[in-house]
Amino acid sequence: MRQPLVAGNWKMNGSREGIFELLKGIREGVKDLAGVDIAVCPPYIYIPEVQGQLHGSPVSWGGQDLSLQQQGAYTGEVSGSMLLDFGCKYVIVGHSERRSYHAESDQQVAEKYQSALDVGLVPILCIGETLEQREQNATEDVVARQLDTVIARCGIAALKNGVIAYEPVWAIGTGKTATPEQAQQVHGFIRGMIAQHDSAVAEKIQILYGGSMKPSNAAELISKPDIDGGLIGGAALKAADFLDICKAASFQA
Ligand code: PEP
């Protein structure tokens, strides 16, 4: 049985004061929860604050991205080992906003996946199709290409220590959610693809859904057999909403 993971991607949101309140709410609320892994991914600058407040709680934290480089003259970049220095467990790689606004290629995302593993972080690999690609019936081709690039670069065993987030781009921040059936169909496809290489890895890996997941739709999505939690954007910015999603996931465990 896979334990679900609910991870909040705060993106470039929040303030020092706001984050203090958000973390206070999360810390209080998770006391009653069991059977679910929980994480938050704040902007880099707030990670030390998050570490200070979540240290000793069951909630983990992570970065939203990491540099392709280990160290050196790369202005503005943050390496995986720096994230590790501040207690990060996870790092998101290949979020669609990185792929589109920063032109990250499948190959670069695969390199980042490997860099994360190399330093002992758990990469959360985001894959998913645009609306145009879905309308062209290319969803499976797109997610297969994105995933295959990682498997080719890092090997199938590298998925043992990672997490996948299926995030249809058309559902991110739009309020449009994939139906549980649409999401399950793609999650099943992804797990099947991995099983063709290694059935044990396929059975173990957490595949999260991301794209306007909220308290009102989380339970139904997570009840699907291949949906093992969520990567949450907007709804991760309110403690009550985030905790309700965590609760919905914990009931499935
Ligand atoms: C995301 O950006 O990973 C995401 C899922 O955002 P939202 O929940 O706001 O759609």
Side-chain angles (χ1 to χ4, degrees):
M1 185 72 182
R2 292 177 297 273
Q3 173 143 312
L5 165 64
V6 177
N9 173 13
W10 293 357
K11 310 194 186 188
M12 198 177 72
N13 289 299
S15 62
R16 201 168 187 188
E17 206 185 325
I19 279 171
F20 184 85
E21 287 306 312
L22 177 56
L23 290 168
K24 199 167 128 199
I26 293 173
R27 238 183 20 239
E28 281 300 306
V30 295
K31 283 185 185 153
D32 309 324
L33 293 179
V36 57
D37 298 335
I38 304 172
V40 295
C41 297
Y44 290 137
I45 187 112
Y46 294 130
I47 289 177
E49 182 80 30
V50 168
Q51 180 182 31
Q53 285 205 54
L54 293 183
H55 185 73
S57 88
V59 183
S60 306
W61 56 95
Q64 298 175 12
D65 183 36
L66 81 170
S67 178
L68 275 170
Q69 316 299 334
Q70 309 303 319
Q71 183 159 17
Y74 302 101
T75 303
E77 297 278 286
V78 171
S79 72
S81 61
M82 292 172 182
L83 294 174
L84 208 63
D85 246 357
F86 283 85
C88 288
K89 174 174 180 182
Y90 296 100
V91 63
I92 298 171
V93 296
H95 191 280
S96 64
E97 287 152 17
R98 299 291 316 172
R99 292 180 190 261
S100 65
Y101 303 145
H102 300 271
E104 285 190 12
S105 65
D106 292 340
Q107 197 58 48
Q108 284 171 322
V109 171
E111 293 297 334
K112 287 188 173 190
Y113 189 98
Q114 186 62 51
S115 297
L117 287 180
D118 286 346
V119 297
L121 290 165
V122 177
I124 301 177
L125 170 69
C126 298
I127 57 179
E129 81 289 0
T130 62
L131 183 58
E132 200 185 0
Q133 290 164 333
R134 173 161 282 263
E135 285 171 351
Q136 289 166 351
N137 286 324
T139 299
E140 292 185 355
D141 292 346
V142 172
V143 298
R145 189 199 71 223
Q146 292 171 331
L147 186 55
D148 271 338
T149 311
V150 173
I151 295 172
R153 167 63 183 85
C154 311
I156 191 68
L159 293 184
K160 254 193 242 164
N161 300 317
V163 172
I164 293 176
Y166 167 58
E167 299 213 306
V169 179
W170 49 272
I172 296 178
T174 58
K176 283 186 205 157
T177 315
T179 64
E181 292 69 29
Q182 281 174 323
Q184 167 57 32
Q185 193 272 324
V186 183
H187 281 237
F189 171 75
I190 293 167
R191 202 178 303 284
M193 241 187 96
I194 298 169
Q196 283 178 1
H197 295 270
D198 188 321
S199 56
V201 173
E203 201 42 50
K204 176 176 180 279
I205 193 166
Q206 290 164 315
I207 307 179
L208 315 184
Y209 169 79
S212 300
M213 190 185 266
K214 43 191 179 258
S216 59
N217 59 27
E220 212 190 336
L221 282 158
I222 299 171
S223 72
K224 293 293 177 192
D226 291 301
I227 303 183
D228 309 314
L231 181 58
I232 319 296
L237 299 171
K238 278 197 198 142
D241 287 355
F242 185 63
L243 287 164
D244 278 348
I245 297 172
C246 295
K247 258 179 228 148
S250 77
F251 291 148
Q252 316 290 329

